[in-house]
Amino acid sequence: MEYCVFTEPHLGATYDDQLEYARAAEEHGFTGFFRSDHYLAGGDRDGLPGPTDAWITLAGLARETSAIRLGTLVSPVTFRLPGPLAIQVAQVDRMSGGRVELGLGAGWFAREHEAYGIPFPSRRFDLLEAQLEIVTGLWRTPVGEPYGFDGGEYRLVDAPALPKPAQDAVPIIVGGGGPRRTPDLVARYASEYNLGFPEDHEIAPRIANLHAACERAGRDPGTVKLSIAMSTIAGPDDATVARRAARIDRTLEQVRDGVNIVGGPDEIAERIAVYRSFGIERVYFQLLDLQDVDHVHYLGAEVLPHLPR
C-alpha cells in the first residue's frame, strides 16, 4: 500500500505552505505529495493569498525535496496545450530526478475558466483523449525522430519530441466514475486509475468497469494501479477532529459521514482495510487546511506506522 498527501491549494495557500507540507510528508515517509490544479477557490472562500500554478509549484518542490513523489490530481486539459504540457512535465521530472506523476482530466469548473479567460469547450473529453495520445506519444518517440499528430483541435508537425523525462515512463493518472469512456482511456494510456471519492458500494462496480475496458483493450488489468482519494480529518479524539473540521467549515457530524477517513490510528486502519479488500493499492489523504501542518505530522507519526504496507 502507498499513502500520499493530497492538497487543494486554491482554497488558500502560499508556496511556502505547500513546501512545509511536502517536507513534512517526506519526513514521515509518505509516498507522494499531490495537489489539485485550480485557479479559483469557489463558493464563499476568498482563496487568499490567491492561486498558485500547479506545475510552477511542483518545479519548486522538485528542487526542495529529495525523495517524495510529486504530481497533480488532476491537471485539466483546458489549462495547457499538450505540446507545452509534455515539455513542462518532462522538465519537472528532470528537476526532481524522476519523481513526477501526471494526473490529467477533462476539467469541470466552468467559473474558474470564466474568471481567468480560459476557453471551456463542451467536448472536453475529446481533448483529454487527444492530449493523452500526444503527451505519451511525444515522450515515447525515440530521440532523433519527429512526432506528428493531426486530429480534432490539435496538429503537431515534425515535433522534435524533446525533452525526455528522467523516468522511462512518467506515471499517468486518470480518474473518474464514468462507466465506459474513462475506463477505456485508463486501459489505453494510464498507469493508475483513481476512483475519486466513492462510497463503498460504488467501488466494486468502478473496478469491474475498468476490468471490462482492459479486456476490450487487450491489457492485463493487474498492470493498472488502483487508487482512491478521500477527505481526511485525523486526530486522537473527537475534540481534535471537531476542531480540524471547524477550520474547513464543517461540523463533526458532517465529517463523520461514513465515507471520509476520520479519527485516530485504529479507526483509520479499519477504513484502509476496507479499501485494501477491494484491491486498492494507493490512498490519497485529502487535507484541506494547508496552514495545519501538524495534521501531516500526526498522520505521519501516529497513523502511518499502523497502516499496512
Side-chain angles (χ1 to χ4, degrees):
M1 293 286 287
E2 298 176 348
Y3 303 99
C4 300
V5 170
F6 170 39
T7 65
E8 305 276 1
H10 62 289
L11 300 180
T14 64
Y15 171 78
D16 286 339
D17 291 329
Q18 296 170 74
L19 174 59
E20 191 173 14
Y21 246 59
R23 283 178 167 169
E26 183 169 73
E27 173 189 337
H28 290 289
F30 283 92
T31 301
F33 172 88
F34 285 73
R35 55 155 292 163
S36 61
D37 194 350
H38 287 295
Y39 292 133
L40 198 67
D44 296 328
R45 294 176 178 269
D46 56 28
L48 291 173
T52 53
D53 181 84
W55 285 101
I56 291 176
T57 298
L58 292 172
L61 297 179
R63 305 303 290 179
E64 298 196 83
T65 59
S66 59
I68 198 164
R69 298 194 67 79
L70 304 166
T72 51
L73 202 68
V74 295
S75 288
V77 294
T78 50
F79 283 6
R80 298 166 184 87
L81 296 171
L85 176 63
I87 292 171
Q88 290 170 331
V89 176
Q91 183 177 6
V92 177
D93 194 50
R94 288 279 175 185
M95 293 167 69
S96 72
R99 294 183 285 124
V100 159
E101 303 186 15
L102 170 63
L104 199 60
W108 60 272
F109 193 7
R111 176 68 188 101
E112 70 183 336
H113 292 73
E114 179 185 42
Y116 285 96
I118 304 168
F120 191 66
S122 59
R123 298 182 64 84
R124 296 183 307 282
F125 223 95
D126 291 341
L127 300 184
L128 174 58
E129 183 172 4
Q131 287 212 14
L132 287 165
E133 174 61 37
I134 292 167
V135 169
T136 58
L138 285 166
W139 289 339
R140 69 172 177 260
T141 297
V143 173
E145 295 184 14
Y147 174 82
F149 181 90
D150 191 359
E153 296 291 322
Y154 307 116
R155 184 168 182 260
L156 285 72
V157 180
D158 292 337
L162 296 172
K164 301 301 185 191
Q167 299 174 87
D168 290 337
V170 171
I172 301 290
I173 306 164
V174 174
R180 176 86 185 208
R181 199 164 182 192
T182 296
D184 281 344
L185 291 183
V186 173
R188 291 170 59 194
Y189 298 107
S191 55
E192 177 179 329
Y193 174 45
N194 183 263
L195 283 75
F197 299 81
E199 296 185 26
D200 289 354
H201 68 88
E202 298 173 310
I203 295 175
R206 293 186 186 183
I207 294 174
N209 289 334
L210 172 66
H211 287 182
C214 288
E215 184 176 350
R216 290 191 293 272
R219 178 175 179 180
D220 176 2
T223 63
V224 180
K225 181 183 295 182
L226 299 176
S227 68
I228 194 168
M230 199 61 65
S231 292
T232 302
I233 307 91
D237 49 50
D238 274 357
T240 305
V241 171
R243 174 176 57 81
R244 288 199 161 113
R247 286 179 60 88
I248 57 173
D249 300 321
R250 297 180 188 174
T251 66
L252 178 63
E253 292 72 22
Q254 286 174 323
V255 299
R256 283 200 171 282
D257 60 357
V259 179
N260 294 323
I261 297 174
V262 182
D266 292 342
E267 192 172 358
I268 291 177
E270 289 179 8
R271 287 303 304 158
I272 298 303
V274 173
Y275 301 143
R276 193 183 191 193
S277 70
F278 287 103
I280 289 168
E281 303 164 81
R282 174 182 278 189
V283 176
Y284 294 90
F285 296 112
Q286 186 197 46
L287 306 180
L288 297 176
D289 182 0
L290 270 150
Q291 283 71 53
D292 184 11
V293 72
D294 286 343
H295 202 176
V296 182
H297 287 299
Y298 176 78
L299 272 171
E302 303 298 332
V303 176
L304 199 58
H306 297 273
L307 302 182
R309 290 290 187 166

